[in-house]
Amino acid sequence: MTYRNLMAPVAAVVATLSLAGAAHADPAAAKAAVDAAKAQGVVGEQADGFLGFVNSGAASADVRAAVAEINAGRRQLYAQAATQNGVSPTAAGASAFRSVVQGKLRPGDFYQDAGGAWVKK
């Protein structure tokens, strides 16, 4: 079985992942906070499938909490996908970034390239 065939189920599991989706007390508020922070260049999508801070000094406590909650939800999804597919959670997160998150990036969003540098789409 090729890596691509192995990771297809991982992509299916994480396809339910919205760009901000997570187990947050108020998912709409968390998504709104993250979307606003993305528009301001404060938060971006990391190559490992998690949210990260492009400009951590500009992140409010609310944004930090929203990012933490969203990343916790993603961590759970990646762990489930990894278990189901016999891969590491790290591989599942990276696959989710490539197959789901990257395709949802909007112009102006920041993401990390393979080298870890922040790039503006």
Side-chain angles (χ1 to χ4, degrees):
M1 180 179 289
T2 66
Y3 180 76
R4 175 176 269 185
N5 290 339
L6 181 65
M7 293 312 289
V10 172
V13 170
V14 296
T16 59
L17 169 74
S18 73
L19 280 180
H24 190 273
D26 184 356
K31 183 177 182 338
V34 167
D35 286 348
K38 283 181 175 183
Q40 296 167 357
V42 174
V43 172
E45 294 286 349
Q46 297 177 161
D48 62 2
F50 292 98
L51 293 169
F53 295 101
V54 179
N55 182 355
S56 62
S60 69
D62 286 343
V63 169
R64 289 182 183 282
V67 166
E69 291 292 334
I70 289 166
N71 281 343
R74 289 182 180 191
R75 189 170 293 107
Q76 289 177 344
L77 285 173
Y78 301 156
Q80 291 170 354
T83 299
Q84 291 173 354
N85 295 287
V87 298
S88 71
T90 301
S95 177
F97 174 76
R98 288 188 308 275
S99 62
V100 178
V101 175
Q102 238 178 355
K104 293 184 178 184
L105 291 171
R106 297 172 295 205
D109 283 349
F110 280 89
Y111 66 95
Q112 280 185 333
D113 64 15
W118 288 109
V119 178
K120 189 174 188 176
K121 181 175 180 183

